[in-house]
Amino acid sequence: MEYGPVEAPEPEPIGRGQLWNSCTSYHSSCIRLKWNKSLARDARPARSHWALLIIVLPAIMIGPVASYSEERKSNDDRVLLPLRLAVYDKYGYFDTYKRGYIDKSGRVVIEPQFRWAERFREGLAAVRILDKHQSESGEGFIDKTGNLVIKAKWDSVAYFSEGLAGVRRGKKMGYIDKTGKLISGLRFDQVRAFHEGLACVAIGGDESKDGAGAKWGFIDKSGRWVIEPKFDWAGSFSEGLAAVGIGDHCWYIDKEAKRLSLIHI
């Protein structure tokens, strides 16, 4: 299937709640693309319509959004952006969404085929796969050629950071490397991305109350506890410091858990 050239105007911010749920949840920036019908040569049925939208996607499960400069550090220097394709049936009614990737010129590089697709980070992108019945079958990772390099066997996955990505199966979470190997088992209840060699993770908590009561600590890349889980909340390390809190008291710690300064809130 050929999509033809696409004209990309200046980015047009779209307010929360105006377009689709992913924007309302994650403050995504969205860019409208004009479809060049005269150059499209796909075999769609009569009265069907296709709409292309680039979605500059944020991190879903863990950590802050990586910058495009980080993306360019990968061996493949192409910047690929996720797109969302709205598919309508022959009667003109909405059928489903499929997601793929385009390059900066608007050329489709990876055909829309995924139920969900995240931005590339460290050369890999998280995707949710559709089976032959168009049902969701799980999440895994693709490379920039569209090959599935880590099987879609997880209930959910996060982006790669410092060579590791958070994964979830059932109610438990852990980390995998870029070969898909599980590093230290599925033994956490909440996880965040690795920063400066450590990841902020939580155990326990009331799932019905968004994890209330969980205790947060820090692990290294082998899964070993570096700072025991004793905080009510904690942030990732940046420039050697992380913010943590117990009850109404908050402070900064270093990587040896030494308390440095109180945060007044």
Side-chain angles (χ1 to χ4, degrees):
M1 182 179 295
E2 298 184 18
Y3 293 93
V6 178
E7 300 172 14
E10 290 297 315
E12 176 185 346
I14 297 176
R16 296 177 63 192
Q18 294 180 9
L19 200 62
W20 54 74
N21 291 337
S22 60
C23 287
T24 63
S25 299
Y26 302 111
H27 308 272
S28 300
S29 297
C30 305
I31 302 173
R32 299 179 187 272
L33 290 184
K34 297 178 181 178
W35 180 249
N36 191 331
K37 295 181 180 179
S38 64
L39 295 175
R41 295 187 295 274
D42 59 286
R44 60 180 182 270
R47 298 185 60 189
S48 66
H49 303 282
W50 301 71
L52 284 176
L53 293 166
I54 298 176
I55 307 173
V56 181
L57 293 167
I60 286 183
M61 186 167 70
I62 58 177
V65 177
S67 68
Y68 282 107
S69 60
E70 291 180 62
E71 169 60 25
R72 294 192 182 99
K73 292 178 183 177
S74 65
N75 292 331
D76 186 342
D77 61 359
R78 292 177 301 164
V79 176
L80 301 185
L81 302 174
L83 64 87
R84 183 170 77 167
L85 180 69
V87 182
Y88 293 79
D89 64 20
K90 63 182 180 180
Y91 302 107
Y93 292 102
F94 171 76
D95 182 30
T96 188
Y97 285 118
K98 290 186 178 181
R99 291 167 171 83
Y101 291 86
I102 61 174
D103 61 19
K104 292 188 293 183
S105 70
R107 181 177 64 90
V108 175
V109 177
I110 300 174
E111 293 285 336
Q113 59 190 282
F114 308 111
R115 178 65 181 86
W116 188 259
E118 279 290 331
R119 207 175 77 198
F120 278 89
R121 294 177 174 89
E122 298 188 4
L124 299 178
V127 295
R128 177 165 284 272
I129 301 296
L130 294 170
D131 63 20
K132 63 181 180 180
H133 303 295
Q134 299 300 299
S135 298
E136 298 183 15
S137 63
E139 295 188 6
F141 290 87
I142 60 170
D143 61 19
K144 288 189 175 181
T145 67
N147 290 325
L148 189 67
V149 295
I150 296 178
K151 292 181 179 180
K153 63 180 182 179
W154 304 101
D155 293 338
S156 63
V157 300
Y159 64 83
F160 274 93
S161 176
E162 299 186 6
L164 298 176
V167 295
R168 178 181 65 83
R169 183 179 290 150
K171 296 181 179 180
K172 290 296 182 179
M173 302 179 187
Y175 293 90
I176 60 172
D177 63 18
K178 289 187 176 180
T179 68
K181 178 183 176 182
L182 189 63
I183 298 303
S184 60
L186 298 171
R187 56 193 180 97
F188 308 112
D189 295 291
Q190 298 181 63
V191 302
R192 294 184 182 154
F194 273 87
H195 291 280
E196 300 184 5
L198 299 180
C200 185
V201 300
I203 56 174
D206 188 339
E207 184 182 0
S208 66
K209 297 181 179 179
D210 295 325
K215 293 300 180 181
W216 291 84
F218 295 86
I219 61 170
D220 63 17
K221 291 185 178 181
S222 71
R224 180 181 63 89
W225 287 106
V226 175
I227 299 175
E228 292 294 324
K230 58 185 177 181
F231 305 109
D232 292 338
W233 64 268
S236 297
F237 273 93
S238 176
E239 299 183 22
L241 300 178
V244 297
I246 296 177
D248 295 330
H249 300 286
C250 310
W251 59 92
Y252 287 108
I253 59 172
D254 62 16
K255 291 184 179 181
E256 296 180 351
K258 180 180 178 181
R259 180 169 170 166
L260 300 181
S261 63
L262 189 67
I263 304 173
H264 298 283
I265 58 174

